[in-house]
């Protein structure tokens, strides 16, 4: 479980913490980007869901901010072995975002400004497990960490949390993304240490 109750993480000490196998605790927030950081202004930002039927729904920044916000406090786990506990974000749950979208798809491919992609089962984006996050702590999300908006899927390795997300394709067949094509695990459960294909 990635979700910790607010207030609890502050009293947790390193010795009490159960980390996924092979992970170590870090206090700072490393930046991991496969390419240059895109600078996307909120005036040009748009988010588009494309269903398997070809039907599309888009949100401008203003429309996106009208969706209900949540402030999840979660643990995050990078495949390069750092874990960071009790991070608090503000974002829109994928449940809220996808509520009006008709689909029978089983898979999703997240697409980012800059070309990054990552795939997940659609189920893993629902039931309070994933957000489109636009604030980190008390600050707006800086470009280095994926601002204006990033995907946040804390129960999977952090490469699934696409920075600078611009859309979601809903697919009837699984389609590997950037790191998955390069040999990383299709699913990426940190508790099962699913780092690479075959793990
Ligand atoms: N668009 C995009 N999203 C991305 C990445 C990337 O290179 N491009 N790197 C992934 C990886 S491997 C990790 S660990 C996290 C890092 O997020 P951070 O830089 O905010 O720590 O973003 C993920 N999302
Ligand atoms: Mo990562």
């Amino acid at each position: 479980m990635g979700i910790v109750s607010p207030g609890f993480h502050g009293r947790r000490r390193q010795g009490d913490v159960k980390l996924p196998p092979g992970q170590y605790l870090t206090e700072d927030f490393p930046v991991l980007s496969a390419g240059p950081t895109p600078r996307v202004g909120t005036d040009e930002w748009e988010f588009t869901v494309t269903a398997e039927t070809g039907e599309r729904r888009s949100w401008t920044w203003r429309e996106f901010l009208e969706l209900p916000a949540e402030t999840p406090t979660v643990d995050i786990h990078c495949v390069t072995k750092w874990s960071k506990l009790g991070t608090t974000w503000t974002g829109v749950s994928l449940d809220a975002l996808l509520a009006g979208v008709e689909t029978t798809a089983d898979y999703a491919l997240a697409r980012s400004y800059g070309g990054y992609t990552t795939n997940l089962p659609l189920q893993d984006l629902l039931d309070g497990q994933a957000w489109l996050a636009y604030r980190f702590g008390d600050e707006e999300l800086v470009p280095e960490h994926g601002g204006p908006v990033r995907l946040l899927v804390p129960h999977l390795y952090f490469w699934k949390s696409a920075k600078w997300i611009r859309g979601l394709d809903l697919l009837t067949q699984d389609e590997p993304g950037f790191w998955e094509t390069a040999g990383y695990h299709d699913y990426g459960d940190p508790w099962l240490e699913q780092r690479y294909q075959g793990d």
Side-chain angles (χ1 to χ4, degrees):
M1 261 312 266
I3 301 191
V4 298
S5 54
F8 178 65
H9 64 278
R11 273 177 270 125
R12 265 193 323 202
R13 267 182 269 114
Q14 180 149 4
D16 313 329
V17 164
K18 198 164 178 292
L19 285 173
Q23 297 293 112
Y24 67 86
L25 211 49
T26 185
E27 289 297 325
D28 40 66
F29 194 175
V31 171
L32 278 105
S33 305
T37 295
R39 308 276 157 173
V40 186
T42 51
D43 49 336
E44 53 173 320
W45 183 87
E46 197 173 51
F47 187 82
T48 302
V49 173
T50 307
E52 75 283 7
T53 55
E55 198 168 318
R56 289 161 169 264
R57 271 205 70 177
S58 294
W59 291 260
T60 63
W61 181 252
R62 269 191 48 195
E63 291 164 342
F64 174 67
L65 289 186
E66 284 167 14
L67 296 168
E70 297 179 3
T71 53
T73 296
V74 297
D75 302 338
I76 54 182
H77 311 289
C78 175
V79 75
T80 63
K81 302 199 169 177
W82 57 266
S83 288
K84 189 169 170 60
L85 304 182
T87 60
T88 300
W89 307 74
T90 303
V92 174
S93 75
L94 272 289
D95 299 294
L97 195 94
L98 294 174
V101 175
E102 286 221 16
T103 184
T104 58
D106 288 325
Y107 302 97
L109 186 72
R111 296 185 176 280
S112 295
Y113 289 98
Y116 185 86
T117 54
T118 188
N119 59 311
L120 317 93
L122 180 53
Q123 185 124 45
D124 284 76
L125 294 176
L126 302 175
D127 297 325
Q129 298 186 92
W131 296 267
L132 291 187
Y134 56 92
R135 296 181 70 81
F136 179 73
D138 297 329
E139 312 278 340
E140 67 181 37
L141 188 60
V142 295
E144 288 72 17
H145 286 299
V149 179
R150 79 177 298 161
L151 184 59
L152 175 65
V153 194
H155 71 286
L156 300 177
Y157 279 124
F158 209 34
W159 88 77
K160 297 287 183 180
S161 294
K163 303 197 280 189
W164 318 297
I165 192 166
R166 62 185 303 227
L168 209 56
D169 291 356
L170 308 181
L171 306 168
T172 52
Q173 287 200 318
D174 195 16
E175 193 181 307
F178 178 82
W179 285 119
E180 296 83 7
T181 305
Y184 283 83
H185 199 275
D186 194 61
Y187 184 61
D189 183 339
W191 297 96
L192 299 177
E193 216 171 350
Q194 294 173 335
R195 298 179 193 276
Y196 307 105
Q197 271 172 47
D199 284 350

